[in-house]
Amino acid sequence: SQTIHQWPATLVQPVGSPLSLECTVEGTSNPNLYWYRQAAGRGLQLLFYSVGIGQISSEVPQNLSASRPQDRQFILSSKKLLLSDSGFYLCAWRGRGRETQYFGPGTRLLVL
Amino acid sequence: AQSVTQLGSHVSVSEGALVLLRCNYSSSVPPYLFWYVQYPNQGLQLLLKYTSAATLVKGINGFEAEFKKSETSFHLTKPSAHMSDAAEYFCAVSEGSGNTGKLIFGQGTTLQVKP
């Protein structure tokens, strides 16, 4: 069966520090991968998606970047965090040619 | 462009009462529609989905939803609320199983269940 992992689960970082969040998927090949952010009291905002290794599409201009160095690995990064980067970050995957996205457990990021 | 509107950011029901969470969508192509549930500090879990088969879709935990094209709606219902149903619920629309498979989410509805 397929599983999706995210780490760390919780992160507290100072403003201006770098960020690296990791997402990995097991049990499937060549998935579509997605990064979402959920700010307090708000819905889900799609940040990036990837249809293959090295292929990244950005949905909104921001302080963040994404990379996909391996087929089932998706990384969210920042060189310098802003207070507004605080939120709950969710990774999701979708099988190629399928319709459903499946979500990871999320990473809670607090920037102070 | 696709969009989703969830009417009511907060819904409160008594335990045992009917749950009705409203979702209206806008799509220029036949949509795929989803309901997800999120418990505090957790990821989203798929409740049910509509992918152009039967218009009445049954999901997990006793929930069901009906796709009504004429009303562009996909409301979520459960006949009898349980305390464990308290969570946030998201409706989402997709352009289908095309290459990107992006989901457009509503703003979410928080369901409170009172004893």
Side-chain angles (χ1 to χ4, degrees):
Chain A
S1 63
Q2 301 86 9
T3 56
I4 179 169
H5 303 278
Q6 288 186 245
W7 64 88
T10 305
L11 192 60
V12 180
Q13 292 284 93
V15 169
S17 65
L19 173 73
S20 180
L21 303 182
E22 188 164 344
C23 170
T24 59
V25 182
E26 296 177 356
T28 188
S29 296
N30 200 25
N32 282 10
L33 297 171
Y34 309 85
W35 276 114
Y36 292 87
R37 177 169 57 201
Q38 190 176 23
R42 302 183 65 180
L44 285 89
Q45 181 183 37
L46 178 63
L47 302 176
F48 302 94
Y49 69 92
S50 172
V51 299
I53 296 174
Q55 301 179 61
I56 307 295
S57 295
S58 175
E59 289 294 292
V60 292
Q62 58 204 311
N63 183 43
L64 302 169
S65 62
S67 61
R68 185 170 176 175
Q70 300 181 44
D71 181 45
R72 290 170 291 175
Q73 184 184 32
F74 205 23
I75 297 172
L76 184 68
S77 304
S78 174
K79 293 182 179 179
K80 289 186 177 182
L81 283 168
L82 306 173
L83 287 173
S84 58
D85 291 324
S86 293
F88 193 48
Y89 288 83
L90 289 160
C91 181
W93 72 274
R94 188 193 71 139
R96 192 56 53 94
R98 307 303 296 268
E99 69 279 349
T100 304
Q101 288 188 23
Y102 298 95
F103 286 78
T107 294
R108 175 76 59 191
L109 173 66
L110 179 61
V111 183
L112 300 175
Chain B
Q2 295 173 308
S3 66
V4 175
T5 302
Q6 291 184 238
L7 299 174
S9 58
H10 287 83
V11 171
S12 181
V13 301
S14 298
E15 191 173 19
L18 172 71
V19 175
L20 171 60
L21 304 182
R22 300 178 186 273
C23 173
N24 288 87
Y25 70 92
S26 173
S27 178
S28 59
V29 299
Y32 287 5
L33 294 159
F34 306 82
W35 275 101
Y36 287 87
V37 60
Q38 185 181 32
Y39 298 100
N41 294 310
Q42 295 186 25
L44 274 68
Q45 180 182 6
L46 180 69
L47 271 178
L48 48 80
K49 61 184 178 183
Y50 167 76
T51 56
S52 73
T55 56
L56 182 62
V57 181
K58 295 187 183 298
I60 61 172
N61 302 338
F63 285 93
E64 62 182 36
E66 186 172 10
F67 172 69
K68 291 187 177 180
K69 184 177 179 180
S70 60
E71 299 177 8
T72 62
S73 69
F74 191 56
H75 302 331
L76 182 70
T77 61
K78 182 174 180 177
S80 177
H82 192 272
M83 296 297 291
S84 61
D85 294 327
E88 189 156 21
Y89 292 79
F90 291 95
C91 182
V93 63
S94 169
E95 60 190 15
S97 59
N99 195 32
T100 66
K102 292 188 289 184
L103 289 176
I104 307 299
F105 282 90
Q107 286 297 100
T109 298
T110 300
L111 176 65
Q112 179 187 23
V113 182
K114 297 177 291 185

